[in-house]
Amino acid sequence: DGGITQSPKYLFRKEGQNVTLSCEQNLNHDAMYWYRQDPGQGLRLIYYSQIVNDFQKGDIAEGYSVSREKKESFPLTVTSAQKNPTAFYLCASSFRALNTEAFFGQGTRLTVV
Amino acid sequence: EDQVTQSPEALRLQEGESSSLNCSYTVSGLRGLFWYRQDPGKGPEFLFTLYSAGEEKEKERLKATLTKKESFLHITAPKPEDSATYLCAVQSNTGNQFYFGTGTSLTVIP
């Protein structure tokens, strides 16, 4: 089955530790995205990538980093510089960056204690 | 600045009671408007894409329409399984990002 897989579903980390969230897609999509979702707020874009080895900052990139070494994979690292990392993180992909809908994974809920 | 506003924030309907959800947008040139359904603790599920004013799309009990300033998601004779948060997103001509509204939480009571 084609789709987007995020892992793990739940993640707990201690404050000050970096953590990496996995996102893999087998849809042959060029573009991939990372969003953060907090209660009462819309999805906010962290980073996006239109093609392998290229990515751009979204509206809330501070404290996060990404890589896009393979078309299928777009991991997100939440660094210790992110002041409020506890949130629901969503990865998405689309066939092209423009004019096509994005499909989402099932999300990773990160809790930092 | 590109903006998306959804209303109402929450909506409770009796089973079979039809209604509409609103998505108002301000973008410098609309590339596309997208509707998603999100169940608690899950990722959004794609429903519809609309590209130009006057366009309509239907799927089961849902119908999405688009004008130059807003989109409506009409729900006809809803069932309890239609309960979810419905998200609207737009993509503008000036960038590659999707801008999301905060959603409408729909509860359908049996």
Side-chain angles (χ1 to χ4, degrees):
Chain A
D1 271 342
I4 302 172
T5 302
Q6 289 187 243
S7 61
K9 187 169 182 179
Y10 299 98
L11 189 55
F12 294 87
R13 277 296 181 269
K14 290 186 178 179
E15 197 172 325
Q17 290 182 334
N18 292 355
V19 60
T20 298
L21 282 58
S22 170
C23 178
E24 304 276 333
Q25 54 98 359
N26 60 3
L27 300 167
N28 199 33
H29 284 174
D30 286 325
M32 296 187 75
Y33 311 81
W34 274 106
Y35 289 89
R36 170 181 172 140
Q37 189 173 35
D38 296 285
Q41 299 196 43
L43 275 67
R44 291 184 291 165
L45 183 66
I46 304 171
Y47 270 97
Y48 66 101
S49 167
Q50 298 181 68
I51 198 168
V52 174
N53 292 323
D54 183 61
F55 48 83
Q56 288 81 41
K57 292 181 179 180
D59 298 321
I60 57 165
E62 185 175 349
Y64 300 97
S65 66
V66 293
S67 62
R68 186 89 186 274
E69 297 176 1
K70 299 187 298 182
K71 188 175 186 178
E72 303 80 19
S73 179
F74 191 41
L76 173 74
T77 297
V78 184
T79 75
S80 56
Q82 168 48 234
K83 294 189 168 101
N84 187 17
T86 295
F88 189 49
Y89 290 88
L90 288 161
C91 178
S93 70
S94 62
F95 183 60
R96 302 186 299 270
L98 299 175
N99 291 14
T100 60
E101 54 274 5
F103 294 91
F104 284 82
Q106 290 302 294
T108 292
R109 185 165 297 281
L110 172 65
T111 302
V112 176
V113 296
Chain B
E1 181 180 305
D2 297 339
Q3 278 193 318
V4 180
T5 303
Q6 291 187 248
S7 62
E9 287 186 17
L11 182 62
R12 289 172 65 89
L13 298 174
Q14 290 293 131
E15 184 172 1
E17 179 186 3
S18 301
S19 188
S20 297
L21 283 54
N22 178 263
C23 172
S24 298
Y25 62 90
T26 305
V27 292
S28 48
L30 180 72
R31 281 194 187 277
L33 185 140
F34 308 88
W35 281 99
Y36 291 86
R37 169 195 170 123
Q38 186 175 25
D39 292 302
K42 297 194 173 180
E45 173 190 347
F46 170 73
L47 294 174
F48 303 110
T49 306
L50 301 166
Y51 291 111
S52 56
E55 190 174 359
E56 298 182 352
K57 294 268 180 78
E58 282 189 72
K59 180 181 178 181
E60 297 181 354
R61 294 177 293 281
L62 300 176
K63 179 180 176 180
T65 61
L66 181 65
T67 71
K68 288 188 177 179
K69 293 189 175 180
E70 58 191 350
S71 176
F72 291 94
L73 185 66
H74 307 278
I75 302 177
T76 302
K79 297 182 178 181
E81 54 261 42
D82 294 323
S83 297
T85 295
Y86 290 86
L87 300 172
C88 169
V90 299
Q91 194 177 49
S92 75
N93 287 331
T94 58
N96 302 326
Q97 297 187 25
F98 295 89
Y99 290 96
F100 281 83
T102 54
T104 293
S105 175
L106 174 66
T107 303
V108 182
I109 305 160

